[in-house]
Amino acid sequence: MKKVITYGTYDLFHQGHYNLLSRAKALGDYLIVGVTSDTFDLERGKMNTCNNVMERIDAVRATGLADKIVIEEYKGQKIDDIQKYNVDIFAIGSDWEGYFDYLSEYCQVVYLPRTEGISSTQLRNERPMVRMGIIGTGSIANRFVPEAEFVNSVSVVAAYNPDKREADEFCLRHGLPHSAATPAELYALVDAVYIASPHYTHYEYAREALLAGKHVLCETPFVFREAEACELYRLAEERGLTLTVALKTAYCPAFGHLLSLLKSGVIGEIVEVNASTTTLMSEDSDKLDSRFYGGSMNENACFTLLPILKLLGTDYLNIRFYSKIKNDVDVFTKAIFQYAHGVASFQVGLGVKTEGNLVVSGTKGYAYVPAPWWKTDYFEIRYEDQNRNKKYFYPYDGEGLRYEIKDFVSSILSKDFFYSKVSKQENLVMARVQEQYMKGENVYRI
Ligand code: CTP
């Protein structure tokens, strides 16, 4: 029996894919089709697939041409598969001519004619576009526009800044067609807004945008009061709009894998979480100005709260805060959370530097994520018996914003997309913690 193997992403399955599979099948008696996993696609920098791996596998299966379907998860797997399944022919479209010659050491390599005039890229480009506008044109917004270019089906078309000259310069710098003179002008031009304005303006802009019927991606910290967060979610839900908080750590591939591993019990029962995020600032920075809601808690607490709420849940029993205050803002805060079966703590600072790592301790071992854990590509699971220790690497591309933009756009375009990386409940609790701190409840000065 002659075995043939071929690989692809098969996103938005089309006639070109079908023809290729038929041609590959005709080369032998048994066809194995490798479909790339979502994580492997991400690792290869393919941010833009519209169908997830299960949908892509279903599409390949529906052709009736594949005798076996395997998931391609890592570089080098082709050689392993060829050996494992005793494959005679590796077949692939002619767009890869020459690229896979190295496999001829293991089996025959055949480049098949590609179908002209159709590709997944072309089909993706024909799908509806989310037109996006940016409110606030500071440093994060400057990183957002180039990152959005990696994401399919989104186009940043306009920006607004109360200082019109700044908005004009921003649009010129990034080649955006519209510099809006007012928020209303911006809303009229777009389907969705990215709010990257100073923290204390988030609530007003998000409310206004939702009332104008626009989807909202809001930078962190989201808002400082739980009632405000509740109201924004209500407005979004009533209008069928997406409201997402741009907490980029939540979208970081390594962080996602860490959560899944820990939830699967690799360190036993989780008993303690400790996270530190500190960024030293000059004293005259706005981030240390009480008039602009400056301070370590407002600036950094959302990052450190994330692993705590994800791993120990949102039902903590109480929190205590210990703060070093200077010029009316906290230059350093340590918070301690009591849970029924665990304890958590975090350190945030703009005027005090700590080691910025994350440690999650369990009854069988612990997870160690080195600084800066909030944008890491690496972590370790450690045990009493060091021989069992394991290191995990997951690449993190560019500024990392592309992952949250991709999720945001998918949630707007795909009706089946329900999963949000940070839940409504988690965002509400983050706002509650900020509010409790600002009210001075259980806050002790050091
Ligand atoms: N293929 C083909 N004819 C096309 C498109 C794809 O023969 N018009 C082949 C590719 O050469 C490959 C297989 O189909 O062997 C799977 O390709 P894949 O990369 O999934 O599809 P594309 O449409 O090329 O996707 P993209 O536009 O994202 O590159």
Side-chain angles (χ1 to χ4, degrees), residues 6-12 14-21 23 36 44 46 48-49 91-96 112-124:
T6 187
Y7 293 85
T9 302
Y10 307 105
D11 190 30
L12 301 174
H14 55 69
Q15 189 63 40
H17 293 143
Y18 187 88
N19 296 346
L20 192 285
L21 293 182
R23 287 169 191 151
T36 48
R44 296 187 307 149
K46 247 192 161 172
N48 50 7
T49 46
I92 195 95
S94 52
D95 45 326
W96 294 98
L112 291 167
R114 193 178 151 89
T115 307
E116 291 309 315
I118 188 155
S119 73
S120 303
T121 307
Q122 184 189 326
L123 293 176
R124 283 192 293 261

Side-chain angles (χ1 to χ4, degrees), residues 282-309:
S282 85
E283 278 194 21
D284 53 11
S285 160
D286 280 359
K287 294 186 191 300
L288 281 167
D289 192 327
S290 59
R291 290 171 303 165
F292 305 128
Y293 282 56
S296 312
M297 277 294 293
N298 289 351
E299 190 60 28
N300 285 337
C302 51
F303 294 105
T304 49
L305 276 166
L306 182 69
I308 296 176
L309 301 183

Side-chain angles (χ1 to χ4, degrees), residues 123-420:
L123 293 176
R124 283 192 293 261
N125 289 341
E126 286 166 6
R127 277 162 59 99
M129 271 279 167
V130 173
R131 293 166 305 154
M132 222 160 157
I134 300 186
I135 297 181
T137 53
S139 72
I140 188 81
N142 274 297
R143 284 181 270 157
F144 185 90
V145 184
E147 285 277 306
E149 277 161 22
F150 287 93
V151 183
N152 200 56
S153 306
V154 63
S155 168
V156 181
V157 296
Y160 166 75
N161 186 317
D163 181 339
K164 179 76 167 58
R165 254 192 339 195
E166 282 202 24
D168 291 347
E169 279 171 24
F170 183 86
C171 289
L172 201 63
R173 190 175 321 126
H174 294 289
L176 308 187
H178 305 286
S179 170
T182 61
E185 190 182 319
L186 183 93
Y187 303 143
L189 293 164
V190 301
D191 310 300
V193 293
Y194 170 54
I195 300 178
S197 53
H199 310 333
Y200 59 94
T201 62
H202 288 178
Y203 165 69
E204 285 300 338
Y205 283 130
R207 186 171 177 278
E208 207 174 77
L210 291 167
L211 286 169
K214 307 300 154 189
H215 304 279
V216 170
L217 175 62
C218 184
E219 251 315 318
T220 54
F222 177 33
V223 288
F224 295 122
R225 285 170 198 84
E226 190 179 4
E228 291 176 351
C230 283
E231 185 195 348
L232 295 178
Y233 272 106
R234 183 180 52 75
L235 290 175
E237 283 158 10
E238 282 170 3
R239 288 161 180 74
L241 296 168
T242 293
L243 170 62
T244 300
V245 179
L247 186 45
K248 73 175 179 184
T249 305
Y251 297 86
C252 178
F255 185 74
H257 285 282
L258 174 72
L259 291 183
S260 324
L261 258 187
L262 297 183
K263 295 265 183 194
S264 72
V266 292
I267 61 165
E269 184 196 341
I270 295 170
V271 177
E272 192 200 7
V273 179
N274 179 263
S276 277
T277 302
T278 58
T279 8
L280 279 185
M281 293 278 158
S282 85
E283 278 194 21
D284 53 11
S285 160
D286 280 359
K287 294 186 191 300
L288 281 167
D289 192 327
S290 59
R291 290 171 303 165
F292 305 128
Y293 282 56
S296 312
M297 277 294 293
N298 289 351
E299 190 60 28
N300 285 337
C302 51
F303 294 105
T304 49
L305 276 166
L306 182 69
I308 296 176
L309 301 183
K310 286 274 177 210
L311 293 167
L312 290 175
T314 50
D315 293 328
Y316 55 84
L317 301 175
N318 64 62
I319 319 178
R320 283 168 171 252
F321 303 94
Y322 299 89
S323 286
K324 183 172 175 60
I325 308 284
K326 200 168 174 189
N327 301 329
D328 280 342
V329 296
D330 61 321
V331 290
F332 175 80
T333 293
K334 181 173 180 89
I336 302 181
F337 295 64
Q338 185 190 347
Y339 281 85
H341 303 287
V343 64
S345 53
F346 70 66
Q347 296 77 240
V348 286
L350 298 177
V352 170
K353 192 70 193 158
T354 65
E355 169 74 11
N357 59 13
L358 165 67
V359 179
V360 184
S361 309
T363 50
K364 293 184 179 157
Y366 71 97
Y368 170 72
V369 191
W373 70 267
W374 55 95
K375 51 176 177 180
T376 190
D377 57 1
Y378 161 71
F379 62 84
E380 291 180 35
I381 302 292
R382 295 177 177 172
Y383 297 97
E384 191 65 44
D385 173 3
Q386 291 181 16
N387 295 319
R388 292 180 56 215
N389 289 2
K390 265 196 161 174
K391 297 178 178 179
Y392 295 84
F393 296 88
Y394 298 97
Y396 180 74
D397 287 323
E399 297 283 345
L401 302 174
R402 61 192 69 172
Y403 304 106
E404 69 196 24
I405 304 172
K406 178 179 166 26
D407 261 43
F408 179 65
V409 171
S410 306
S411 71
I412 294 171
L413 291 180
S414 162
K415 289 183 190 67
D416 302 331
F417 190 93
F418 295 112
Y419 178 67
S420 169

